Amino acid sequence: MPADSTIAGGPSQDWAARALELRQELNRHNHSYYVLDQPSIPDAEYDRLFQELQALETAHPELLSSDSPTQRVGAAPLPQFDQVRHAIPMLSLGNGFSSEDIEAFDKRVMDGLDTEQSVRYATELKFDGLAISLRYEDGLLVQAATRGDGTTGENVTTNIRTVRAIPLRLHGKNIPTVLEVRGEVLMYKDDFARLNQRQRDAGQKEFANPRNAAAGSLRQLDSRITAQRTLRFFAYGIGVLEGMDMPPSHSALLDWYQALGLPVCKERAVVSGAAGLLEFFAGIGARREKLPYEIDGVVYKVDRLDQQKHLGFVSRAPRFALAHKFPAQEALTVVQGIEVQVGRTGAITPVARLAPVFVGGVTVTNATLHNEDEVRRKDIQIGDTVIVRRAGDVIPEVVAYVPEKRPADASQFVMPTHCPICGSDIVRLEDEAIARCSGGWLKCPAQRKGGLQHFASRRAMDVEGLGEQLVEQLVDRNVVNTPADLYRLGLSALAELDRMAEKSAQNVLDALQKSKDTTLQRFIYALGIRHVGEATAKELARHFGNLDKVLQASEEQLLEVADIGPVVASSIRAFFSDALNVELVEQLRAVGVHWPEHAGSDSQPKPLQGNIFVLTGTLPNMSRDEAAQMIEAAGGKVTGSVSKKTSYVVAGAEAGSKLAKAEELGIRILDEDGLKALCSA
């Protein structure tokens, strides 16, 4: 029932019944999320239900009850933990979802402060973790408690002491008698992936998301389990302070925290007015997927603490702060069917056909289920209501189903035994999770299409204009069967295809001609050898120097290449042992595809041999790919993260956290000119 129709009219008993239904449902979800650490619906769905109840209670105050979720924060603590009563309640924040919401918040603040001047705000990230209060007495950590219901939380001191990011004793000389630090315990994405891999290896249940993993890890009754998991912490607020004066502003508070040795997120700023808030939001949104941790929005707080005090609180949230949430990355929808797709290597991937749902900024109708084992593990059935997740450009996936919404006629997915495209047997090796079509690219059009799209992709042969729709037509009309056939295309054959005119056809032919001049690593990657990605192709090109050596290399010789193990070596050897693949290589050479070759790793040492580079920011005259190619041609290696092993960081405009980390570690920083000089030395 939509919120507006609930308020608009109808018998009062209908309003009361709906309010009771919403309270019961929200309390159930609260219990699942905060107490059991098993979220049952997406945050966006919870927000919608909460707002509906809030609107009902505002329109009909007689419906308000003391046990309503709108009158408290969070949920009751677990009975296994001792309870801690917060001296100052840990309240949650109101939410904004649009620019209009933010402009209205700024106006309310200005009105509350009775000023026409722009208000200065402290802006920071809204982490997807678990809120914690840390109590320090004379600089020593004596207690840690979860938020709980906002008034009473759980004593997790023993577990918090295992979190290495949290200092057991504060640093510096000006230490207060009592300091309660408010912040968030969270788990980084990489640590989350490693934890779930260990869970899989041990045959144990995986965690749904990093927030769920952080909460579950921190609330272990055995702190030794917590110690085995990598948790992080960021401080962002304050409770009790005794023995010294409060800093004048929120930004000064966070600076002070840093001086005390408390972790504070670098992604923060002080901005002016609604325009500054929206600019910060847009900037973080653009970098969100590259952050090492999950966030679901940003937080705005009036910076001056005296102004915060003047503005005060409403019943469950401060008037001086607001959470600006990103569009939902998770949503509920129904699985209408499960089909399989055939990839370029023959991989058979189950795909859920969904009732259309808007999530992550787009309408989603399909979501990957990865493989048959994943379908069974998540127990996804046709007819289920499921949580669908889409983050940035990531392919939508089904996270979990909602047990209470499973219909009686839900049916299980059955993996087909024959390829739906070519009819070949579907086979699955004992040591693999993926089932595959056995037809190969010559027999299976789906594999042929996938292989051609990969061959023409930007990181491979980079044939601009040769996209999915054009490849579909070329294969369906039997015009092209192998990548070599692409270079034999004529203008008339292309121009006759749908949505192709003579000019666009000529553009594709020009792009094909240009692509003939390539590099060995791009060519190897373009061949689509199983298990051979860009990095492996690069190492093969670096080690052997020319393609004939790669074609003739034994498994033992392939194992001498950096980062190549037995599985990859076997796959490469199997590919070049197939006469059809060797014939394809010769055909591509015959139509003019070429690349510079060298003597390989046994040749004269290069100027940057043994040096590791990291690229960050925008260079003035070259792309990152071009810079990376220059470094690798000079013998250097390019990686994505800064560490003590990094030799140089090449920084351009708007360089971010990588530059800051390099400066912190004392790593030499180069600009574009410095890089060119180093490469030509």
Side-chain angles (χ1 to χ4, degrees), residues 47-372:
D47 290 340
R48 187 190 67 78
L49 296 172
F50 189 96
Q51 289 165 10
E52 181 181 348
L53 178 59
Q54 201 168 39
L56 257 179
E57 293 173 346
T58 301
H60 304 283
E62 70 275 11
L63 299 180
L64 192 61
S65 66
S66 60
D67 66 342
S68 173
T70 63
Q71 302 304 297
R72 68 173 190 171
V73 182
L78 289 171
Q80 294 94 327
F81 290 98
D82 292 336
Q83 295 188 10
V84 175
R85 189 168 184 83
H86 302 301
I88 297 176
M90 295 181 69
L91 301 179
S92 63
L93 301 176
N95 292 324
F97 298 92
S98 66
S99 57
E100 291 80 11
D101 292 340
I102 306 313
E103 289 163 354
F105 164 69
D106 180 49
K107 185 178 186 305
R108 289 196 302 272
V109 169
M110 292 177 67
D111 290 344
L113 296 175
D114 193 22
T115 181
E116 295 183 359
Q117 294 183 339
S118 293
V119 176
R120 289 177 65 78
Y121 295 95
T123 58
E124 54 197 33
L125 306 186
K126 186 177 184 299
F127 302 106
D128 200 9
L130 188 69
I132 291 291
S133 178
L134 307 176
R135 183 179 176 90
Y136 288 88
E137 295 181 0
D138 296 323
L140 187 68
L141 178 65
V142 297
Q143 188 178 80
T146 64
R147 180 165 59 187
D149 62 5
T151 301
T152 303
E154 302 155 359
N155 188 332
V156 291
T157 308
T158 303
N159 289 349
I160 278 290
R161 289 176 64 87
T162 71
V163 180
R164 297 188 179 185
I166 296 174
L168 299 180
R169 183 182 292 276
L170 299 176
H171 302 167
K173 297 179 180 179
N174 297 322
I175 303 298
T177 307
V178 176
L179 172 63
E180 282 189 9
V181 179
R182 303 284 167 81
E184 197 95 354
V185 169
L186 64 156
M187 184 174 286
Y188 278 22
K189 296 173 185 176
D190 287 349
D191 296 324
F192 171 70
R194 283 189 285 269
L195 172 60
N196 265 352
Q197 184 60 55
R198 292 200 300 271
Q199 294 291 104
R200 285 192 293 272
D201 293 344
Q204 297 177 354
K205 182 180 178 181
E206 294 179 46
F207 291 95
N209 51 54
R211 187 269 165 201
N212 182 224
S217 300
L218 188 60
R219 300 164 78 187
Q220 291 287 331
L221 295 179
D222 185 347
S223 62
R224 292 171 296 182
I225 297 177
T226 309
Q228 294 170 3
R229 299 175 181 175
T230 307
L231 298 175
R232 320 290 180 117
F233 173 79
F234 286 128
Y236 55 62
I238 190 167
V240 174
L241 176 63
E242 297 177 3
M244 64 183 300
D245 293 334
M246 187 74 74
S249 66
H250 183 74
S251 54
L253 171 68
L254 298 186
D255 290 341
W256 178 48
Y257 277 170
Q258 279 193 303
L260 294 175
L262 291 159
V264 177
C265 182
K266 296 178 181 179
E267 303 287 349
R268 67 184 194 277
V270 177
V271 303
S272 182
L277 297 177
L278 294 172
E279 183 179 357
F280 179 80
F281 179 79
I284 293 297
R287 293 185 286 118
R288 181 185 183 187
E289 298 306 320
K290 296 181 180 178
L291 294 173
Y293 37 71
E294 296 280 6
I295 61 171
D296 56 8
V298 300
V299 174
Y300 309 135
K301 298 173 183 174
V302 172
D303 192 35
R304 281 175 45 184
L305 299 191
D306 61 334
Q307 291 182 335
Q308 288 189 9
K309 185 176 181 180
H310 179 81
L311 289 165
F313 299 80
V314 292
S315 60
R316 67 182 295 274
R319 290 191 178 94
F320 56 80
L322 187 76
H324 190 175
K325 301 189 78 171
F326 291 118
Q329 291 187 303
E330 292 184 347
L332 288 180
T333 189
V334 175
V335 177
Q336 297 177 329
I338 299 178
E339 301 174 3
V340 296
Q341 288 182 343
V342 186
R344 67 176 179 86
T345 63
I348 304 294
T349 303
V351 175
R353 305 302 183 194
L354 307 170
V357 60
F358 192 77
V359 57
V362 300
T363 298
V364 171
T365 56
N366 303 312
T368 181
L369 292 167
H370 299 292
N371 55 59
E372 185 179 13

Side-chain angles (χ1 to χ4, degrees), residues 410-425:
S411 58
Q412 290 194 347
F413 163 71
V414 178
M415 176 66 81
T417 57
H418 294 85
C419 174
I421 305 301
C422 70
S424 299
D425 290 343

